[in-house]
Amino acid sequence: MDKKLEDTMMGSENSAGKYSPVVFSDEFPATSFGSYPGVFDMPCDDHKAAASCSSNSFDLLGSGIDFYNPLSSLFDLVSTTAPLLSSPASTVPESSEVVNAPPTPNSSSVSSYSNDAAAIEEVDKSNTEKPSSSNVLKPKKKNQKKQREPRFAFMTKSDIDHLDDGYRWRKYGQKAVKNSPYPRSYYRCTTVGCGVKKRVERLSNDQSTVVTTYEGQHTHQSPIIPRGSIRVLPESNLDVTSTTGLLFQPNTPQSFMYSPPPPFLTINSLSTNPRPPSSFPPPPPPPPPPPPSSQAFMLRDHGLLQDLVPLQMRKEPKDEQNG
DNA sequence: CGGGTTTGACCAGCGC
DNA sequence: GCGCTGGTCAAACCCG
């Protein structure tokens, strides 16, 4: 376990906050949090997402990521980190090319790809390369297993299991989790055509901590319109429309930022956290690489993140600080 | 009655 | 090959 990661993830004393998100990405076995809150025992060794757990990722986390959540005060935010981006494609070297990510050691494949298409494409390749002899079986699960969407998870101190993130979810399953007295719930976005899923579970040894894992990317806008007006960021900061919500700047691979998604939007302050304006239409063609920027908060395709995290959450604080 | 939840069963992947 | 586990399905059930 990389100490830097520990510091990044846990160093902020989760015990201090009610809602202290610890963000990471890709699926992770809940059992891997056994040592929480002392140590984040990320299963980097053998986990399929090992690539994302590489030291490079940690470098990323510690490379000046200055995520600032305007809600931090509301939720007593004490710990935020960039996600350990990963994906099924993260283990595929080409993935970095797919997303225009410089194959620099420091950038690594942390942001393995910028869109689901790339991920699926990679997955497709693997499927083609490894034709299952049992592909005659029920197709319903055959492909699902492979075509995994990018995942993002975060931990939240909350009594509520299913935190309202503005989307409508339908619970489609619940499973007992090994080494955990708390079951894991499976939710699926109820919007037609939107295959976003999320899993919710509690840490085995910290029932106050909810681990939510999002998988996929919403293809629609949140059905819940936040109260208050939607503020649009200065274009000088981010061209929201051109990226269709993707805080994606190929030129700033190490500029990662991740903010705690949904829970923070609803628990206390939808009114203060409008959703990202018109950021949902699927992002077909990759936007032209914006000019190099020193902006601290850039984000590759984070799947739901781009949908869930209001841009202002990343920008406003900076602006406020500046002003 | 429609939509969401519960829950047992089924299936695939993986480790031994 | 077998058992374990995670993920999903779908029928039954619940609720507004």
Side-chain angles (χ1 to χ4, degrees), chain A residues 116 149-150 165 167-170 172 186-199 213-220 280 303-305 307-308:
Chain A
D116 294 344
E149 302 280 342
D165 54 10
Y167 292 92
R168 292 174 61 87
W169 302 92
R170 178 184 343 202
Y172 67 88
Y186 299 88
Y187 297 88
R188 184 175 293 156
C189 185
T190 59
T191 300
V192 177
C194 183
V196 176
K197 302 172 196 171
K198 78 173 180 181
R199 294 179 299 189
T213 305
Y214 289 86
E215 178 176 341
Q217 179 178 352
H218 287 288
T219 60
H220 56 95
F280 274 89
L304 289 183
L305 292 185
D307 299 342
L308 299 172

Side-chain angles (χ1 to χ4, degrees), chain A residues 4-322:
Chain A
K4 188 179 293 183
L5 178 63
E6 295 176 20
D7 292 342
T8 306
M9 290 187 134
M10 312 303 303
S12 298
E13 302 297 336
N14 282 284
S15 59
K18 278 187 177 180
Y19 301 96
S20 49
V22 176
V23 183
F24 45 99
S25 76
D26 199 29
E27 62 181 331
F28 52 86
T31 52
S32 67
F33 296 106
S35 54
Y36 174 88
V39 175
F40 238 102
D41 188 16
M42 290 291 283
C44 298
D45 346 11
D46 56 354
H47 193 265
K48 61 174 74 65
S52 68
C53 295
S54 68
S55 59
N56 291 337
S57 300
F58 302 153
D59 287 344
L60 183 76
L61 293 174
S63 61
I65 293 169
D66 188 22
F67 167 60
Y68 189 104
N69 187 336
L71 296 179
S72 58
S73 58
L74 295 174
F75 303 101
D76 209 356
L77 184 63
V78 293
S79 175
T80 58
T81 83
L84 297 179
L85 294 182
S86 75
S87 70
S90 65
T91 57
V92 182
E94 293 90 30
S95 63
S96 59
E97 297 177 3
V98 172
V99 300
N100 219 1
T104 57
N106 284 340
S107 60
S108 182
S109 59
V110 177
S111 57
S112 30
Y113 51 83
S114 63
N115 54 53
D116 294 344
I120 293 173
E121 184 176 355
E122 289 297 337
V123 172
D124 241 331
K125 273 196 280 186
S126 62
N127 283 342
T128 306
E129 293 169 356
K130 299 195 302 179
S132 175
S133 59
S134 59
N135 56 8
V136 296
L137 298 176
K138 296 182 179 67
K140 61 181 179 181
K141 289 178 182 175
K142 284 307 285 184
N143 292 336
Q144 284 182 354
K145 181 64 179 181
K146 295 292 184 179
Q147 297 180 358
R148 274 185 172 168
E149 302 280 342
R151 294 182 178 184
F152 292 93
F154 61 93
M155 297 166 60
T156 305
K157 291 271 188 179
S158 173
D159 293 334
I160 305 170
D161 285 338
H162 189 196
L163 298 161
D164 184 358
D165 54 10
Y167 292 92
R168 292 174 61 87
W169 302 92
R170 178 184 343 202
K171 188 175 184 177
Y172 67 88
Q174 178 172 308
K175 287 283 292 186
V177 180
K178 185 184 178 184
N179 295 333
S180 174
Y182 310 105
R184 173 184 301 159
S185 297
Y186 299 88
Y187 297 88
R188 184 175 293 156
C189 185
T190 59
T191 300
V192 177
C194 183
V196 176
K197 302 172 196 171
K198 78 173 180 181
R199 294 179 299 189
V200 178
E201 62 188 277
R202 288 184 178 276
L203 294 186
S204 59
N205 57 354
D206 186 356
Q207 63 178 16
S208 65
T209 300
V210 177
V211 179
T212 305
T213 305
Y214 289 86
E215 178 176 341
Q217 179 178 352
H218 287 288
T219 60
H220 56 95
Q221 238 173 351
S222 168
I224 298 179
I225 306 301
R227 292 162 296 180
S229 60
I230 294 178
R231 291 166 292 179
V232 179
L233 296 176
E235 293 182 1
S236 57
N237 287 336
L238 272 180
D239 185 351
V240 178
T241 55
S242 68
T243 56
T244 61
L246 290 174
L247 293 180
F248 168 46
Q249 295 216 349
N251 289 340
T252 58
Q254 63 273 73
S255 295
F256 264 92
M257 160 285 195
Y258 186 79
S259 64
F264 311 96
L265 298 177
T266 315
I267 291 175
N268 280 341
S269 55
L270 267 177
S271 59
T272 58
N273 292 278
R275 299 197 158 281
S278 51
S279 60
F280 274 89
S293 171
S294 59
Q295 296 172 19
F297 310 123
M298 294 306 142
L299 187 67
R300 291 189 174 284
D301 180 16
H302 289 171
L304 289 183
L305 292 185
Q306 62 209 24
D307 299 342
L308 299 172
V309 183
L311 295 176
Q312 346 9 2
M313 287 178 68
R314 307 142 182 159
K315 304 304 301 181
E316 276 189 351
K318 282 288 184 179
D319 295 342
E320 291 172 359
Q321 284 181 341
N322 292 339

